[in-house]
Amino acid sequence: MVNQSSVRSLVNKPALNTDKPLLQIRNVTKKFGEFVAVNNVDLNIYAGELFCLLGGSGCGKSTLLRMLAGFETPSSGQILIDGKDMSGVPPYQRPTNMMFQNYALFPHMSVERNIAFGLEQDGIHKSEIKDRTHNMLRLVELQGYEKRRPNQLSGGQRQRVALARALVKEPKLLLLDEPLGALDKKLREHTQFELMNIQEKVGVTFVVVTHDQEEAMVLATRIAVMDKGQFIQIGSPTEIYEYPENRFVANFIGSANIFEGTILENNNNSLKIATELGEITLEQSSALGVGASVFLGVRPEKISISKDPSASTDGYTTSGVVEDIGYLGNTSRYKIRLDQGTLVDVTAQNHLRPQNRTHAFSWEEKVTLRWDASNIMLLKK
Amino acid sequence: MNQGRSTFLTVMLYIGLTFLYVPMILLVIYSFNYSKLVPVWGGWSTRWYKVLFESPEVWEAVRLSLQIALVNATVATMLGTFAGLAMVRFGRFRGRTLFGGMLVAPLVMPEVITGLSLLVFFISLKELFGWPAERGFTTITIAHITFSLAYVAVIIQARLTGIGETLEEAAADLGAKPFKVMTSITLPRLAPGMLSGWLLAFTLSLDDLVIASFVTGPGANTLPILIFSRIRLGLRPDINALATIIILFVAVLVAIAAYIMFRQHKRELLDQQMALSGGD
């Protein structure tokens, strides 16, 4: 079902100890009445990872996170943190802390007291609480804001208080529910990097829930793409983007041109596939037999577009006309109607400034498209 | 056209205010009337205030009413808060729907029925256990708590639903045990709701005539009972003086509440400004 081979790529990173997973999710299912929110998921997360659970709303990612924090109890299955079974352990005894979606700062307490709250529960000495609170404020660059109440802070500052409050107890596992969701776009981009830096500095394992694929790509060491309560694919951002296993992932992360095909021949490490674009040969192995229907995907930026039909004949070449142009500044998106009728998305960098202040291509212009067979992704349904 | 509408609204506003306040203004004016006959003007005087202050039974009634209102408001707030918490925070339990329905029943029950049933209840209690020996402070207080707590529970339920569960979850996540979550997060967040519940229970108790009349015994007159029984013997100027004092008392309370709300609003504005200017 889910390919665990993707973990292998992490073995090369010295920081990760893959012998002993920090978090083990074993066949966990959560039902609300008849509705299955999380359906039999299985996952290991290793110390030092920044793991993203990515999916649309209602895919079960938040429910899974809440089960890790102890706010929901699995209907079946087991969650182990650092080898210890968490069933029956209430939230206040778990070695996890959570950063909530809208921060959930205590409005009747100052910034300082918000951060100190967790330490106070453990009966830590006052002077140590003060030190650690102060250190956290420095880490998130909020010195001088100790006495303010949360509603006297901007959105970005609140986000940092929430992070400090969740980190101050030095949890084994930090759970972040849409940590950047409430920030505007510019601030979000800046904060993504800040979050990664802080994670590296404190060395705490992060599990982040997000619906924003760009956020997941930037932050994560590994991503689990979720849909309908199940993991569709688990892998590094590159694996997920460049080697999606199926149509859903290819479409959910970025966009892809997808063509239907049937396998004509399957010789070792070479597949011949019949598609609406003609016969395509892929240099890869597959367990699928002759006659099986598959999907082929090509990312829009991996197709080159040119006005010159006579250029090299490497890879797959076809021609069509420009039907629509979306100008984004750094790139442009084209919709090209191929001669045999299929509509294809193409993205091209605008690396030359047009001297006549017009676009590189115009509507109804005849163009040649080219892509290399190695860029074709073989997708399961 | 816009102009016309605003004129219409202004006129309606003044008509409404007139209906509300002219009777009260008349009452205040007549409380300073020298004449013994209420509708006959006999010149300005504070004579009836003197009569009022020298009448011990009035002060006895005020004392009883305040005592009942205080105990009622405090107990009703406590019980109502627990009931509200049980309804909103304890998830689904056996008989939750029934409990919820029974909780709001006193709000829609006619007062006469509530009063009558409580009277029957107290009489049978006395038959069975010999308690309460005589009706008065205890019975009226218990009766008031039974209906006040329903109002408090409704307020608390609304407030609890409004503040949501996330803050409590955050506290638990940071290591606070359930009791600590209750005392450091839930109750402080609930305090404004509990305060309005307390004030409402206090006012309801001071206000109540019907239920108190049913369950009171000889000699125990609350203020409304006293006023009503005196009015039955004809309008009396010293009652006007008493009513004027009550109006003044309420007006001061309302003014204080308005001032507190104004200050809170101002503070929120300042907080917002601070967040915007100190933001990054």
Side-chain angles (χ1 to χ4, degrees):
Chain A
M1 190 179 64
V2 168
N3 184 4
Q4 288 274 353
S5 74
S6 47
V7 181
R8 258 183 278 131
S9 64
L10 287 161
V11 180
N12 304 332
K13 292 191 180 174
L16 292 178
N17 175 4
T18 50
D19 302 335
K20 243 185 67 191
L22 177 70
L23 171 70
Q24 288 166 274
I25 299 172
R26 287 187 187 160
N27 307 98
V28 166
T29 296
K30 176 69 186 179
K31 289 182 188 165
F32 295 105
E34 289 296 296
F35 176 70
V36 185
V38 174
N39 190 359
N40 195 25
V41 302
D42 217 25
L43 172 71
N44 286 342
I45 294 178
Y46 302 95
E49 276 201 85
L50 205 166
F51 195 95
C52 272
L53 295 170
L54 175 64
S57 58
C59 72
K61 58 190 192 304
S62 292
T63 309
L64 184 57
L65 197 75
R66 289 174 59 78
M67 284 194 279
L68 299 183
F71 300 132
E72 306 283 356
T73 322
S75 308
S76 66
Q78 239 186 346
I79 293 169
L80 290 92
I81 297 176
D82 219 7
K84 282 190 209 76
D85 187 359
M86 285 292 126
S87 37
V89 180
Y92 56 87
Q93 281 170 352
R94 295 199 178 200
T96 59
N97 280 126
M98 180 149 162
M99 191 177 139
F100 288 79
Q101 186 163 11
N102 289 309
Y103 314 139
L105 298 176
F106 307 132
H108 55 296
M109 295 182 192
S110 67
V111 166
E112 200 176 23
R113 291 232 28 234
N114 261 284
I115 298 176
F117 186 87
L119 298 173
E120 283 164 9
Q121 307 312 314
D122 292 355
I124 290 170
H125 195 269
K126 269 204 175 127
S127 61
E128 193 191 334
I129 292 183
K130 213 177 162 79
D131 283 351
R132 286 170 70 174
T133 307
H134 187 76
N135 287 342
M136 272 300 145
L137 281 165
R138 201 170 47 213
L139 182 72
V140 298
E141 291 167 21
L142 276 179
Q143 298 115 307
Y145 289 87
E146 289 86 349
K147 301 293 174 218
R148 288 217 191 171
R149 272 173 289 109
N151 49 0
Q152 296 173 322
L153 300 175
S154 71
Q157 291 166 336
R158 280 180 217 178
Q159 192 262 356
R160 271 145 51 200
V161 176
L163 184 63
R165 187 179 72 176
L167 277 173
V168 75
K169 292 188 80 175
E170 294 165 7
K172 285 181 179 153
L173 197 60
L174 187 72
L175 312 169
L176 302 96
D177 192 0
E178 304 276 359
L180 310 175
L183 305 178
D184 57 58
K185 197 172 182 293
K186 264 263 151 40
L187 190 56
R188 194 159 62 216
E189 281 166 12
H190 170 77
T191 315
Q192 281 169 357
F193 289 100
E194 210 175 69
L195 202 60
M196 284 196 292
N197 287 338
I198 287 177
Q199 197 254 351
E200 261 171 50
K201 238 186 261 178
V202 295
V204 172
T205 310
F206 280 25
V207 177
V208 179
V209 154
T210 180
H211 69 275
D212 182 338
Q213 47 125 336
E214 199 176 302
E215 192 173 302
M217 299 286 277
V218 175
L219 288 175
T221 53
R222 277 197 302 156
I223 298 173
V225 181
M226 278 187 88
D227 186 42
K228 296 188 185 114
Q230 285 180 314
F231 293 147
I232 307 299
Q233 189 176 351
I234 300 172
S236 70
T238 332
E239 282 175 315
I240 297 272
Y241 186 78
E242 304 289 5
Y243 296 88
E245 280 169 9
N246 53 44
R247 235 181 125 165
F248 177 83
V249 177
N251 268 324
F252 187 73
I253 316 282
S255 56
N257 296 297
I258 289 173
F259 311 106
E260 237 178 304
T262 318
I263 297 182
L264 291 178
E265 278 173 37
N266 187 355
N267 304 320
N268 39 340
N269 291 339
S270 170
L271 293 167
K272 194 181 260 182
I273 297 161
T275 70
E276 54 198 296
L277 304 178
E279 274 179 27
I280 290 176
T281 308
L282 295 182
E283 298 300 319
Q284 51 179 284
S285 62
S286 168
L288 294 168
V290 173
S293 77
V294 289
F295 290 97
L296 299 180
V298 187
R299 297 282 186 200
E301 78 280 4
K302 296 200 165 51
I303 302 175
S304 70
I305 177 169
S306 79
K307 294 180 185 182
D308 176 14
S310 65
S312 89
T313 50
D314 285 353
Y316 186 86
T317 310
T318 183
S319 60
V321 289
V322 178
E323 199 168 283
D324 241 321
I325 303 174
Y327 177 67
L328 300 173
N330 57 342
T331 59
S332 293
R333 290 203 86 137
Y334 305 95
K335 288 199 181 294
I336 310 291
R337 178 73 65 187
L338 299 185
D339 294 343
Q340 105 296 8
T342 313
L343 198 63
V344 172
D345 277 353
V346 179
T347 307
Q349 288 283 334
N350 295 321
H351 39 219
L352 292 176
R353 190 157 81 133
Q355 294 309 306
N356 52 4
R357 296 183 185 236
T358 58
H359 201 264
F361 298 93
S362 59
W363 282 269
E364 301 302 328
E365 192 165 8
K366 191 132 181 75
V367 291
T368 301
L369 301 184
R370 216 171 265 116
W371 63 82
D372 198 275
S374 68
N375 284 330
I376 296 176
M377 312 178 286
L378 185 64
L379 307 167
K380 279 180 274 187
K381 194 181 159 289
Chain B
M1 187 191 141
N2 214 339
Q3 184 65 36
R5 190 188 298 170
S6 80
T7 320
F8 172 74
L9 283 179
T10 317
V11 171
M12 289 310 285
L13 176 71
Y14 283 113
I15 292 176
L17 286 176
T18 310
F19 265 106
L20 276 175
Y21 287 101
V22 164
M24 282 196 232
I25 294 168
L26 279 178
L27 183 83
V28 173
I29 293 173
Y30 277 118
S31 77
F32 291 103
N33 185 2
Y34 182 81
S35 164
K36 195 175 168 68
L37 296 167
V38 170
V40 180
W41 186 252
W44 293 96
S45 149
T46 53
R47 169 184 170 194
W48 300 111
Y49 285 88
K50 207 166 155 244
V51 171
L52 185 69
F53 279 99
E54 281 161 2
S55 132
E57 59 200 292
V58 169
W59 293 109
E60 182 52 33
V62 169
R63 198 183 56 82
L64 182 68
S65 270
L66 285 179
Q67 264 178 352
I68 292 172
L70 275 173
V71 175
N72 162 63
T74 310
V75 177
T77 303
M78 274 159 52
L79 295 178
T81 303
F82 287 135
L85 279 169
M87 288 301 295
V88 183
R89 284 292 189 269
F90 292 179
R92 307 206 55 82
F93 54 87
R94 262 180 85 91
R96 184 179 179 273
T97 316
L98 183 69
F99 181 61
M102 284 168 65
L103 207 54
V104 292
L107 302 184
V108 289
M109 192 72 74
E111 282 185 311
V112 238
I113 307 292
T114 311
L116 186 62
S117 61
L118 281 163
L119 178 62
V120 173
F121 172 67
F122 287 131
I123 291 172
S124 2
L125 265 188
K126 194 184 171 188
E127 289 291 314
L128 289 171
F129 305 107
W131 182 90
E134 62 180 35
R135 295 192 294 279
F137 173 77
T138 319
T139 50
I140 299 174
T141 310
I142 293 173
H144 282 183
I145 291 169
T146 54
F147 72 84
S148 301
L149 91 82
Y151 286 88
V152 177
V154 168
I155 292 180
I156 294 291
Q157 278 185 57
R159 174 95 187 152
L160 272 176
T161 314
I163 61 182
E165 237 167 317
T166 323
L167 290 182
E168 289 159 36
E169 285 182 348
D173 183 67
L174 290 165
K177 296 188 178 66
F179 181 74
K180 180 76 188 184
V181 173
M182 178 72 76
T183 54
S184 65
I185 307 295
T186 316
L187 289 182
R189 297 291 293 149
L190 217 48
M194 288 168 72
L195 182 67
S196 30
W198 192 93
L199 286 173
L200 184 63
F202 188 82
T203 343
L204 284 171
S205 170
L206 274 188
D207 230 23
D208 170 63
L209 170 67
V210 180
I211 293 173
S213 309
F214 271 98
V215 297
T216 191
N221 282 335
T222 62
L223 200 55
I225 294 178
L226 180 89
I227 294 175
F228 191 67
S229 63
R230 288 200 175 183
I231 292 297
R232 272 192 301 194
L233 305 173
L235 288 172
R236 297 226 341 230
D238 56 337
I239 294 298
N240 286 349
L242 178 63
T244 304
I245 292 173
I246 295 175
I247 290 173
L248 186 72
F249 180 70
V250 171
V252 168
L253 281 186
V254 170
I256 291 173
Y259 176 70
I260 291 172
M261 267 160 62
F262 170 74
R263 259 204 2 198
Q264 181 133 8
H265 179 67
K266 218 168 110 176
R267 205 179 70 175
E268 270 163 27
L269 281 181
L270 279 176
D271 283 358
Q272 254 173 38
Q273 261 171 24
M274 205 166 177
L276 288 177
S277 63
D280 46 17

